[in-house]
Amino acid sequence: MKVGKKQSSLLGAIAFGTVIALTPTSGSAIYFSGKKIEITIPTKEGGGSDRFGRIFQPFLEKHLPGHPTVLVINRPGGSGIKGGNWFQHKAPRDGTALFVTGSSPLNSFLFAGKKVQYQLRTWKPIILSSFGTCFYAHKRLGLSGKPEDVVADIKKLRAADRLLMGAKNSTSSEIRSFLLYDIMGMDQARPVFGLSSGNRRKATLRGELELGMDSTLSCQTKIKKYVDKGTIQIYMTMGLIDDNGKIVRDPAMPDVPHAKEVYEKVYGKEPSGQAWKAYMHFLNLNVMAQKGLWLPDGTPDDVYEFYVSTFKKIFADKEFQKITKKSFGKYPHAFGEKAKKIAIDALDFAPETKEWMKNWIKKKMVSSS
């Protein structure tokens, strides 16, 4: 059929209008209107990842044109594996499915073996939020907790008869602690499995375990009174990585030395070797990418970019800033391309370092437990 100029123009306009209606960057109100956005959280209600994911729910409804309904669904199990596997195989690729990560699903992806069916490297990180990690010990170990005494404190830890700390399992988020304990020469540190983050903390506060780790924000709130009483001494943080790639002190606890500082003071040299290479991955994995929101692989690039710009708007929202002032502290947040770089630095272990880490997990986290 021959099409005249007027008909051709009309058909072109209709086609162009169809593209607008389906493309979120240009016709997003139509795209999201009447839609349901589902945020999958691979942990139980009430934990850090759950709080992180839920805090965005009303602001996504506010800032996504068309004001879609945003639902939060918890799919706990297997240190994030159950939720991650579901998201890989069943989440739609049209911008209506988001996934929250904390430390455990990231660690599980790397080290939990065949149980893991999700391909995290192919997912698209919209935002990665950094949150610090602090380390503390029960008072009976005799630490002072003062920065100027950190060398003496590490020597006391190395000389202790028993060093136990709770953990969920052999590949959960606590492995960064035991790796660091080994780097510091605390070879006798052993895991007690089957403890959630909350139960692990409580057991240390009661003195049933000698060692503890927590987010620095939790150290400032949930255990602060125990520090004030002298029951607990905080002696070190993991630190953060700045934009120049340098490890710096945690902004939430600037008076507490970070692990690299501590090592250099104890040993008189910079840390090196496979253990330290692995630790640097965990610094990206469990601090710089401590919490995140992702879209599944196969989501169109324009949908991804639209979400990145939407989250930047959310973080500029005065109401959001007020609500998250305490819970987010002074920590940096990476969006889009910067988040992708952090994800690569976190997940892309060199083959020899990953093999070393797998052997270390078998020896330290499995055989010695």
Side-chain angles (χ1 to χ4, degrees):
M1 181 179 69
K2 188 175 180 181
V3 180
K5 288 184 178 180
K6 288 185 179 181
Q7 289 175 306
S8 179
S9 299
L10 179 60
L11 290 172
I14 292 171
F16 182 70
T18 302
V19 172
I20 288 178
L22 296 176
T23 303
T25 50
S26 54
S28 49
I30 298 173
Y31 182 86
F32 287 112
S33 180
K35 297 280 187 178
K36 289 184 179 180
I37 310 295
E38 183 176 299
I39 301 174
T40 294
I41 301 177
T43 60
K44 294 179 181 179
E45 295 86 345
S49 294
D50 184 65
R51 293 193 299 272
F52 179 81
R54 288 181 185 277
I55 206 165
F56 294 109
Q57 181 182 23
F59 292 95
L60 281 169
E61 291 182 342
K62 175 181 177 181
H63 286 280
L64 284 174
H67 307 294
T69 300
V70 178
L71 304 175
V72 177
I73 307 296
N74 294 80
R75 292 187 171 90
S79 292
I81 295 174
K82 181 179 178 180
N85 289 347
W86 180 92
F87 195 73
Q88 178 71 39
H89 296 297
K90 295 186 178 180
R93 268 69 173 161
D94 59 356
T96 60
L98 304 174
F99 188 88
V100 173
T101 52
S103 295
S104 290
L106 300 179
N107 289 1
S108 295
F109 168 72
L110 288 167
F111 302 113
K114 295 180 180 179
K115 295 179 291 184
V116 177
Q117 299 169 16
Y118 55 96
Q119 300 298 322
L120 194 59
R121 283 190 184 87
T122 66
W123 295 3
K124 299 182 177 184
I126 303 166
I127 174 176
L128 294 178
S129 294
S130 60
F131 292 96
T133 300
C134 67
F135 300 91
Y136 51 89
H138 193 268
K139 67 178 181 180
R140 70 166 172 270
L141 294 176
L143 277 59
S144 84
K146 296 178 181 178
E148 61 269 24
D149 295 332
V150 69
V151 173
D153 283 350
I154 294 296
K155 287 181 179 179
K156 289 178 181 178
L157 289 169
R158 290 166 64 177
D161 292 333
R162 191 185 85 158
L163 293 175
L164 297 179
M165 194 188 91
K168 297 182 190 72
N169 55 55
S170 61
T171 59
S172 57
S173 62
E174 293 84 4
I175 61 176
R176 66 187 187 268
S177 302
F178 290 98
L179 177 62
L180 192 53
Y181 296 153
D182 267 12
I183 290 171
M184 293 297 171
M186 298 155 58
D187 300 331
Q188 74 278 44
R190 296 289 182 270
V192 176
F193 291 135
L195 296 179
S196 66
S197 299
N199 288 333
R200 164 170 49 79
R201 181 189 306 117
K202 292 174 183 177
T204 307
L205 295 176
R206 291 192 299 262
E208 297 165 4
L209 304 173
E210 287 77 26
L211 299 177
M213 60 154 276
D214 230 314
S215 72
T216 47
L217 295 177
S218 291
C219 280
Q220 291 181 314
T221 54
K222 295 179 180 179
I223 72 165
K224 184 179 184 300
K225 64 180 179 180
Y226 298 95
V227 174
D228 293 341
K229 291 177 181 178
T231 305
I232 293 293
Q233 287 84 31
I234 297 171
Y235 59 93
M236 180 174 64
T237 73
M238 288 187 74
L240 262 69
I241 302 174
D242 68 12
D243 290 337
N244 298 314
K246 181 182 177 182
I247 300 177
V248 296
R249 288 194 175 187
D250 193 299
M253 307 185 78
D255 296 330
V256 180
H258 59 68
K260 186 172 185 287
E261 285 182 88
V262 174
Y263 185 95
E264 290 170 349
K265 289 179 179 179
V266 171
Y267 291 99
K269 61 180 181 179
E270 288 196 359
S272 61
Q274 292 293 0
W276 186 254
K277 289 179 182 179
Y279 172 78
M280 287 301 297
H281 281 287
F282 281 103
L283 185 52
N284 277 289
L285 197 71
N286 297 152
V287 173
M288 303 308 296
Q290 224 286 327
K291 294 288 184 286
L293 271 161
W294 306 64
L295 286 163
D297 60 308
T299 301
D301 288 342
D302 55 352
V303 176
Y304 171 69
E305 295 299 335
F306 186 76
Y307 265 103
V308 170
S309 65
T310 298
F311 271 88
K312 288 179 179 178
K313 290 177 183 178
I314 290 173
F315 273 77
D317 188 309
K318 297 297 183 183
E319 182 185 1
F320 180 81
Q321 292 175 359
K322 183 179 179 180
I323 290 173
T324 59
K325 185 176 181 180
K326 289 184 178 180
S327 58
F328 281 9
K330 299 179 180 179
Y331 288 105
H333 308 275
F335 303 89
E337 292 304 316
K338 189 173 181 180
K340 288 180 180 179
K341 182 183 183 305
I342 291 173
I344 290 171
D345 291 341
L347 298 171
D348 282 3
F349 278 62
E352 61 272 17
T353 303
K354 188 171 183 179
E355 186 63 25
W356 180 92
M357 193 67 205
K358 286 182 177 179
N359 291 332
W360 179 89
I361 290 171
K362 290 178 183 177
K363 180 181 177 181
K364 184 70 180 186
M365 302 297 290
V366 179
S367 299
S368 67
S369 61

